Amino acid sequence: MPDTRRSWKEVRDRIHQKILSGQVRPGDKLPRDADIAAEMNCARTTVQRAMQDLADSGLVERRRKGGTHVRRDPVTRATLDIPITRNEVEQKGNTYGYQLIGRETLAPPHSVQAAFGQNLPGPMLHVQALHLADARPYILEDRWICLQTAPEILDVDLSETSANEWLVMNKPYDDLTLRFYAEKADEKRATLLGTDPGDALLVIERTTWISGAPITTVKSSTEPGYQLISRS
Amino acid sequence: MPDTRRSWKEVRDRIHQKILSGQVRPGDKLPRDADIAAEMNCARTTVQRAMQDLADSGLVERRRKGGTHVRRDPVTRATLDIPITRNEVEQKGNTYGYQLIGRETLAPPHSVQAAFGQNLPGPMLHVQALHLADARPYILEDRWICLQTAPEILDVDLSETSANEWLVMNKPYDDLTLRFYAEKADEKRATLLGTDPGDALLVIERTTWISGAPITTVKSSTEPGYQLISRS
DNA sequence: TAGTGGTCTAGACCACCGG
DNA sequence: CGGTGGTCTAGACCACTAT
């Protein structure tokens, strides 16, 4: 072991390598942080930082007194970025467009109530809107907004500002659920998205809360061919 | 400010709150770490840790000399766990089953070569297999394995051990791309998955590398109704 | 170039949990 | 209970970059 000092990323990568190369197999126990620190000629804090990272990425499991083990049931852990739709479109070099389709105050259907679990959301604003890329339909959003949590939405001109953007800038959340699945386009969505009924659509459902109170839930039906790609 | 010492999570949450409550708006600059440390009565290291976390979750942006700013274009950053299929099935309380459908050494089609970018994968093993939950089709995987990187796969009895599991235990990767999209079931997949042609399927494409060399790429077509859900 | 975040250190104490 | 990871501190130096 060279006697140069190690950075935490070097330490992390070295351990990672040990796992990759099979020197350490799933289920095996790794040395204590202190020993690794001695071996690598660095402070224990540095090892700690490295191990945290490995644990965060699902490679290793740490328990006080139990030590650090290579995970037996490796998980692929991926991070997805879901940008604001306008930014997503513009970053691809297309022109963003937006079109309000419908807006009404309604008691939410059972399916929407279910998204919020036990917390009764009360009366809600139902908004349907279409996001466009170069004037072509891109994402159709079907959104319910809790009027108790976000009453100001009633004063927003949703034909100009999308609820998507207004909420992001004005109603920060501290809890979030995301759900992805595939669904056949029904007649109505097919028309709005400019595609054919029966086409397979990737659907993103997103529900947000602030300190336990529901804010909004949105079902976004994406254009055919839409893909979600994980961050590096 | 109480004069008790603060943990980095407390610091993080307090800053988070400032953003949530609108005391600090998107684009605003936050105080220097050192000042926050003084105000919160803790070491700068502690603030640093807190800020790292906020930056990681996409809430805040930090630049040396530039300082820390609340992000103008907030991204929703979500983490997904993609477990080994066997574990996924068993954790739901179902019985896992596996069935090899096809296995042949082939030159990969262009679409597969594209998944690996410039790196030519050379000859590959093409494997098709079905994962079952309680004897019902669950995920159909269509996999290509690079024989230069993983020649040992030829000696594995793939009718007993799924390539999925063998690779995870024996061919660790250090780079990964994930892709999610919706696709109509064609005749063949519909039959294998026990569903109807035209049904909307969520497809997960996963490609892995080790130090730049391709290992495997797999297209997993999930049963109708399959959902991906983000980690808390 | 000066200001800010990024990292390392050595040491201390705490929190959890296995034997 | 004792061993291990988790965190905090005060200080130092480095690395990037806005001005």
XYZ file of all heavy atoms in Angstrom, chain C residues 6-17:
242
model
P -19.288 21.996 -1.818
O -19.813 21.318 -3.023
O -19.936 21.832 -0.507
O -17.748 21.595 -1.674
C -17.017 21.250 -2.836
C -15.848 20.365 -2.444
O -14.918 21.122 -1.641
C -16.245 19.156 -1.606
O -15.567 18.025 -2.140
C -15.787 19.504 -0.205
C -14.588 20.410 -0.475
N -14.313 21.382 0.573
C -15.228 22.193 1.196
N -14.695 22.971 2.101
C -13.340 22.661 2.081
C -12.254 23.185 2.843
O -12.292 24.053 3.704
N -11.044 22.589 2.504
C -10.900 21.610 1.545
N -9.665 21.150 1.357
N -11.908 21.118 0.822
C -13.095 21.683 1.141
P -15.772 16.644 -1.439
O -15.567 15.650 -2.485
O -16.967 16.649 -0.565
O -14.506 16.582 -0.489
C -13.213 16.622 -1.085
C -12.202 16.608 0.025
O -12.356 17.770 0.837
C -12.326 15.415 0.971
O -11.205 14.609 0.717
C -12.308 16.034 2.370
C -11.857 17.453 2.116
N -12.355 18.501 3.029
C -11.452 19.165 3.830
O -10.271 18.915 3.835
N -11.989 20.134 4.624
C -13.327 20.512 4.694
O -13.690 21.403 5.445
C -14.215 19.781 3.841
C -15.681 20.100 3.847
C -13.699 18.812 3.050
P -11.060 13.258 1.487
O -10.366 12.351 0.576
O -12.363 12.891 2.099
O -10.070 13.635 2.665
C -8.769 14.113 2.339
C -8.077 14.463 3.627
O -8.708 15.637 4.170
C -8.199 13.378 4.696
O -6.911 12.859 4.992
C -8.828 14.079 5.896
C -8.715 15.556 5.565
N -9.885 16.345 6.049
C -9.698 17.336 7.015
O -8.564 17.529 7.466
N -10.763 18.046 7.434
C -11.967 17.810 6.926
N -12.992 18.547 7.357
C -12.181 16.804 5.940
C -11.119 16.101 5.529
P -6.815 11.708 6.129
O -5.565 11.003 5.847
O -8.093 10.982 6.233
O -6.637 12.569 7.451
C -5.740 13.671 7.440
C -5.565 14.160 8.858
O -6.596 15.133 9.162
C -5.692 13.061 9.901
O -4.667 13.195 10.854
C -7.060 13.302 10.521
C -7.222 14.814 10.373
N -8.636 15.237 10.265
C -9.093 16.278 11.027
O -8.395 16.887 11.801
N -10.416 16.581 10.845
C -11.307 15.944 9.991
O -12.469 16.306 9.914
C -10.757 14.864 9.226
C -11.626 14.109 8.289
C -9.462 14.562 9.391
P -3.998 11.892 11.459
O -2.562 11.975 11.171
O -4.801 10.714 11.076
O -4.206 12.141 13.019
C -3.913 13.436 13.559
C -4.737 13.622 14.812
O -6.059 14.084 14.432
C -4.944 12.330 15.608
O -4.523 12.560 16.945
C -6.434 12.026 15.478
C -7.028 13.406 15.197
N -8.250 13.345 14.386
C -8.509 12.495 13.339
N -9.694 12.668 12.798
C -10.252 13.708 13.537
C -11.490 14.365 13.455
N -12.426 14.052 12.566
N -11.734 15.360 14.348
C -10.785 15.667 15.246
N -9.575 15.116 15.409
C -9.368 14.132 14.520
P -4.619 11.400 18.035
O -3.438 11.543 18.920
O -4.942 10.104 17.407
O -5.900 11.876 18.868
C -6.070 13.248 19.140
C -7.506 13.473 19.564
O -8.377 13.472 18.415
C -8.036 12.380 20.507
O -8.428 12.989 21.715
C -9.206 11.771 19.728
C -9.607 12.904 18.796
N -10.354 12.447 17.633
C -9.991 11.488 16.718
N -10.885 11.285 15.798
C -11.914 12.161 16.124
C -13.157 12.384 15.471
O -13.606 11.841 14.465
N -13.898 13.365 16.131
C -13.483 14.030 17.251
N -14.317 14.927 17.754
N -12.328 13.826 17.865
C -11.597 12.883 17.244
P -8.750 12.094 23.010
O -8.066 12.747 24.141
O -8.503 10.676 22.688
O -10.326 12.298 23.182
C -10.852 13.608 23.118
C -12.331 13.517 22.809
O -12.504 13.043 21.457
C -13.068 12.503 23.689
O -13.815 13.215 24.673
C -14.006 11.766 22.708
C -13.773 12.455 21.374
N -13.766 11.543 20.225
C -12.802 10.624 19.909
N -13.048 9.951 18.808
C -14.252 10.465 18.369
C -15.052 10.184 17.250
N -14.741 9.271 16.343
N -16.198 10.882 17.105
C -16.519 11.808 18.017
N -15.836 12.169 19.105
C -14.702 11.454 19.224
P -14.433 12.352 25.883
O -14.561 13.310 26.993
O -13.722 11.068 26.054
O -15.888 12.020 25.344
C -16.709 13.074 24.895
C -17.848 12.489 24.104
O -17.342 11.880 22.905
C -18.623 11.372 24.844
O -19.944 11.811 25.028
C -18.515 10.177 23.919
C -18.197 10.823 22.574
N -17.501 9.915 21.624
C -18.089 9.646 20.395
O -19.163 10.182 20.097
N -17.467 8.791 19.532
C -16.309 8.230 19.879
N -15.735 7.406 18.997
C -15.694 8.492 21.119
C -16.316 9.326 21.963
P -21.013 10.914 25.779
O -21.770 11.812 26.659
O -20.353 9.695 26.307
O -21.968 10.467 24.587
C -22.242 11.396 23.531
C -22.985 10.682 22.414
O -22.050 9.916 21.622
C -24.046 9.686 22.917
O -25.198 9.871 22.131
C -23.382 8.327 22.710
C -22.533 8.592 21.473
N -21.332 7.730 21.306
C -21.222 6.974 20.139
O -22.116 7.016 19.290
N -20.110 6.212 19.976
C -19.157 6.188 20.909
N -18.081 5.421 20.694
C -19.259 6.951 22.099
C -20.357 7.702 22.258
P -26.512 9.055 22.461
O -27.649 9.920 22.069
O -26.391 8.473 23.828
O -26.463 7.861 21.408
C -26.570 8.171 20.024
C -26.900 6.894 19.265
O -25.719 6.058 19.193
C -27.960 6.026 19.915
O -28.601 5.345 18.858
C -27.141 5.071 20.781
C -25.939 4.837 19.875
N -24.670 4.547 20.548
C -24.226 5.009 21.748
N -23.024 4.599 22.074
C -22.649 3.808 20.992
C -21.485 3.074 20.713
N -20.431 3.019 21.535
N -21.437 2.396 19.546
C -22.495 2.462 18.714
N -23.649 3.119 18.876
C -23.656 3.770 20.037
P -29.985 4.694 18.971
O -30.831 5.349 17.974
O -30.366 4.645 20.407
O -29.719 3.215 18.477
C -29.047 3.033 17.228
C -28.228 1.793 17.323
O -27.235 1.923 18.343
C -29.030 0.550 17.700
O -29.113 -0.214 16.517
C -28.233 -0.101 18.842
C -26.901 0.620 18.744
N -26.050 0.773 19.969
C -24.803 0.135 20.017
O -24.455 -0.555 19.051
N -24.014 0.294 21.110
C -24.420 1.060 22.122
N -23.603 1.193 23.177
C -25.685 1.728 22.098
C -26.461 1.553 21.010
P -30.068 -1.422 16.379
O -30.391 -1.555 14.954
O -31.120 -1.310 17.416
O -29.107 -2.629 16.793
C -27.867 -2.782 16.099
C -27.074 -3.880 16.784
O -26.459 -3.352 17.975
C -27.930 -5.063 17.250
O -27.157 -6.220 17.069
C -28.108 -4.775 18.736
C -26.730 -4.223 19.037
N -26.590 -3.458 20.299
C -25.335 -3.434 20.924
O -24.401 -4.047 20.406
N -25.194 -2.733 22.069
C -26.232 -2.070 22.590
N -26.037 -1.386 23.720
C -27.517 -2.086 21.969
C -27.657 -2.795 20.832
